[in-house]
Amino acid sequence: MELDKDALADVVVRLRRAQGQIGGILKMIEEGRDCADVITQLAAVSRALDRAGFKIIATGLEQCVRPENAGTEQAAVDRAQLEKLFLALA
């Protein structure tokens, strides 16, 4: 299943932000910053990555359940793939 790139523009923004956060975390570790601060930032990045993943899955679900796909064998396969992906993030 291919996803619409325009529908995932928000995901790209989230991932670029997370990429910057990871760079910041690496710098924090190199500078010997407080453990609690590092963990707080790691948790924020983890949430951002989870949200990006869920957005991708939600976009896939939306495309999968469109009327033109309803009832087709491909839609059933896509749903199974989406369920597997969702459980990977859960």
Side-chain angles (χ1 to χ4, degrees):
M1 164 183 42
E2 284 191 38
L3 299 174
D4 179 16
K5 289 181 184 179
D6 293 333
L8 295 178
D10 181 50
V11 173
V12 172
V13 170
R14 288 175 193 247
L15 291 175
R16 291 201 192 284
R17 188 175 302 131
Q19 183 179 29
Q21 286 177 299
I22 290 171
I25 293 168
L26 289 169
K27 187 175 179 181
M28 290 173 73
I29 291 170
E30 291 169 350
E31 293 173 351
R33 295 275 302 270
D34 183 61
C35 179
D37 293 338
V38 173
I39 297 300
T40 299
Q41 290 305 308
L42 281 172
V45 169
S46 179
R47 284 189 305 272
L49 293 174
D50 286 345
R51 287 185 187 121
F54 287 128
K55 177 71 173 182
I56 291 169
I57 292 170
T59 300
L61 283 171
E62 181 182 32
Q63 289 179 8
C64 190
V65 297
R66 287 185 183 150
E68 64 267 16
N69 293 334
T72 67
E73 191 173 309
Q74 183 62 40
V77 171
D78 289 344
R79 285 187 187 101
Q81 289 173 335
L82 289 167
E83 180 179 345
K84 184 177 178 181
L85 292 171
F86 180 80
L87 291 173
L89 287 173

